[in-house]
Amino acid sequence: MLASSLLLTACGGDSDHHDGGDQEPERVQDTRSFSVNEEELAFDELAGALEADQWYGVRPNGAGYRVEVPDDWNGMLVMYAHGYRGEGSELSVSDPAIRGWLLEHGYAWAASSYSTNYYDVRTGVEDTNELALAFTEIAEENGRTLNEPSKIYITGHSMGGHVTAAAIEEEAYATANNHVEYNGAVPMCGVVGDTFEFDYLARFTLGAQHLAHLADDSAPPLESFPATNFDVDAINSVFWDVVPAVGVQGVTTETGDKMADLVRDLSGGDRPIFDIGFRTYYWGVVMGTGGRDGTVNGILADDLSGNEGYAYQLDQDLNTVSDEEQAFNESILRAPNDPDANALRDDGLRWIPVVNGEFSIPVVSLQGLGDLYVPFHHGQIYRERANANGSGDWLVQRAIRSPGHCDYTLDEQETAFADMINWEQNGIKPDGDDVLDADTVADPLYGCQFSDDRAGLPGCTPQ
């Protein structure tokens, strides 16, 4: 998953290739070193599962991997893309949450650690593809001869959802160094609006300090971008009577209520569960990104963008601009951008691969309604782009009534994957949620069709 040390940037690269050569910009990411703790790669058979082979090791690219193949393999492979691993140097692998379902239904699965950490989706796509291409080679090295998979699917969480969505794009098929064309995909809680995530974080955190300062001089005014005087403690003192923490639901002040409305609009509009998600400890996770530059912690060589041109709202009346909102937008620090920072490249994928909504395989995507970190608006962007590029019929989306980030039940995940498989293999397209109609999204029962009940949250029984 993403973590609080993620740095800020904003959405979209342009359509021009970077031409390489003498003017190749330098990235901090290219100076970092990573390694796998091979002792941590070993994994046990799953209790109660059908007999299967478990293999693990390190690929020539430096990425660790795990592969599991049932004795009664159905000939199909599922690639799992893990989420953000933070800023450490040690690489690690995660098993898919739906591992038991995959084995029960005869699927092999494989997961890469990737060969880098930080928010390096380019490497995530390349290393996941490389492992898929090496599947039969790995089997042969372990004494089992297998045919090439008849079909390959991909799924992942959070940053891994970005990997999943980017890997199936026409742009990835055209530019990836390791070429794999997938048969179906299930991105979950994914950054499917690609670099909007960093635009969101910039708008959120810069807006927070400006609103806090306007309400109380104890919060300092923003002076520059990067914001070297970003002050989380001062912001919290203005917005919260009880600051959100793990296991502690936050309690907002009157100014904090305005901040909630600002974020509501920014993150996807009025919807159930948002107010609960806003008051979780993910507030602190988002604020932990505040004040940073726009290079996504060195993944880019230059700042992509910040909050330039964004019109902030401070209430739920989106049809008018109040005097307060006009004054806010005129006075807030605006962060400049470099539209070439995430351009197409001539050496493979963009540094932050884009999700243009250009694909022609079944996709079932999950987005959390209360997720404050990878907000619901990602799903709206995904739908708009898919519709605009002729891929809308290939995309089914589901709104999950979860308050946090990637906090989906196993049943919600297994059902989504099984429905994608049924669609791809049997032509039965599953149902989904409309993510664009504002009235539909704002309904108190929105998301109930595909969500399990959660203790302490509003239920789905009509009153």
Side-chain angles (χ1 to χ4, degrees), residues 230-246:
F230 188 77
D231 192 332
V232 175
D233 290 338
I235 294 168
N236 284 343
S237 70
V238 176
F239 288 162
W240 301 98
D241 287 326
V242 176
V243 180
V246 176

Side-chain angles (χ1 to χ4, degrees), residues 111-258:
S112 173
S113 72
Y114 318 150
S115 53
T116 62
N117 285 328
Y118 293 76
Y119 198 81
D120 199 341
V121 173
R122 169 178 160 132
T123 298
V125 173
E126 291 287 8
D127 292 350
T128 298
N129 286 0
E130 193 277 339
L131 181 59
L133 295 171
F135 174 73
T136 56
E137 170 194 325
I138 291 169
E140 191 72 31
E141 290 172 351
N142 285 277
R144 187 171 174 183
T145 300
L146 298 175
N147 293 326
E148 293 293 332
S150 59
K151 294 182 178 182
I152 306 178
Y153 305 100
I154 185 169
T155 186
H157 292 89
S158 193
M159 178 182 135
H162 188 168
V163 171
T164 298
I168 65 172
E169 286 282 328
E170 292 298 328
E171 184 173 305
Y173 289 171
T175 62
N177 293 309
N178 294 306
H179 184 86
V180 175
E181 295 191 13
Y182 292 93
N183 296 91
V186 180
M188 293 184 279
C189 46
V191 185
V192 292
D194 55 64
T195 52
F196 163 75
E197 175 65 14
F198 312 105
D199 201 2
Y200 166 76
L201 295 174
R203 294 171 180 176
F204 189 132
T205 54
L206 294 176
Q209 182 146 336
H210 189 56
L211 181 61
H213 170 67
L214 293 178
D216 191 326
D217 287 342
S218 66
L222 293 165
E223 296 174 348
S224 63
F225 182 80
T228 54
N229 69 329
F230 188 77
D231 192 332
V232 175
D233 290 338
I235 294 168
N236 284 343
S237 70
V238 176
F239 288 162
W240 301 98
D241 287 326
V242 176
V243 180
V246 176
V248 177
Q249 193 74 11
V251 179
T252 47
T253 64
E254 183 176 346
T255 307
D257 290 340
K258 289 184 180 180

Side-chain angles (χ1 to χ4, degrees), residues 378-455:
H378 276 281
Q380 295 168 326
I381 292 170
Y382 200 19
R383 170 56 65 187
E384 288 170 346
R385 292 178 180 174
N387 288 351
N389 287 301
S391 300
D393 288 344
W394 288 111
L395 177 61
V396 167
Q397 294 170 284
R398 292 176 176 176
I400 304 300
R401 293 168 66 92
S402 57
H405 179 53
C406 297
D407 51 342
Y408 305 153
T409 68
L410 183 58
D411 182 68
E412 289 163 349
Q413 297 174 72
E414 290 178 345
T415 298
F417 194 86
D419 286 351
M420 181 278 291
I421 289 293
N422 193 36
W423 182 11
E424 195 281 324
Q425 295 181 10
N426 302 313
I428 302 174
K429 185 176 180 178
D431 291 333
D433 287 310
D434 181 346
V435 303
L436 295 182
D437 183 80
D439 290 338
T440 298
V441 173
D443 189 290
L445 299 181
Y446 180 67
C448 284
Q449 184 175 356
F450 304 105
S451 302
D452 293 331
D453 285 338
R454 287 165 167 79

Side-chain angles (χ1 to χ4, degrees), residues 253-452:
T253 64
E254 183 176 346
T255 307
D257 290 340
K258 289 184 180 180
M259 184 65 196
D261 284 337
L262 182 157
V263 176
R264 188 192 318 273
D265 177 50
L266 173 61
S267 62
D270 189 23
R271 59 197 186 274
I273 316 300
F274 166 78
D275 285 314
I276 297 171
F278 179 78
R279 291 163 173 82
T280 67
Y281 78 95
Y282 281 101
W283 165 268
V285 175
V286 172
M287 297 307 286
T289 69
R292 314 285 182 85
D293 70 9
T295 68
V296 192
N297 217 356
I299 296 298
L300 301 174
D302 299 299
D303 294 343
L304 184 58
S305 70
N307 64 345
E308 192 72 51
Y310 178 70
Y312 287 91
Q313 289 279 343
L314 302 177
D315 56 37
Q316 296 188 54
D317 182 1
L318 306 184
N319 297 317
T320 60
V321 178
S322 68
D323 291 343
E324 181 183 21
E325 288 166 344
Q326 183 170 342
F328 183 97
N329 281 289
E330 289 176 352
S331 57
I332 189 172
L333 177 74
R334 295 295 180 173
N337 69 331
D338 176 1
D340 291 328
N342 193 41
L344 277 163
R345 300 185 55 77
D346 58 11
D347 62 349
L349 293 164
R350 297 177 196 247
W351 280 331
I352 301 179
V354 296
V355 181
N356 292 319
E358 295 178 304
F359 53 87
S360 55
I361 62 172
V363 178
V364 176
S365 180
L366 306 184
Q367 220 75 44
L369 288 171
D371 193 339
L372 195 66
Y373 199 33
V374 179
F376 185 70
H377 190 48
H378 276 281
Q380 295 168 326
I381 292 170
Y382 200 19
R383 170 56 65 187
E384 288 170 346
R385 292 178 180 174
N387 288 351
N389 287 301
S391 300
D393 288 344
W394 288 111
L395 177 61
V396 167
Q397 294 170 284
R398 292 176 176 176
I400 304 300
R401 293 168 66 92
S402 57
H405 179 53
C406 297
D407 51 342
Y408 305 153
T409 68
L410 183 58
D411 182 68
E412 289 163 349
Q413 297 174 72
E414 290 178 345
T415 298
F417 194 86
D419 286 351
M420 181 278 291
I421 289 293
N422 193 36
W423 182 11
E424 195 281 324
Q425 295 181 10
N426 302 313
I428 302 174
K429 185 176 180 178
D431 291 333
D433 287 310
D434 181 346
V435 303
L436 295 182
D437 183 80
D439 290 338
T440 298
V441 173
D443 189 290
L445 299 181
Y446 180 67
C448 284
Q449 184 175 356
F450 304 105
S451 302
D452 293 331

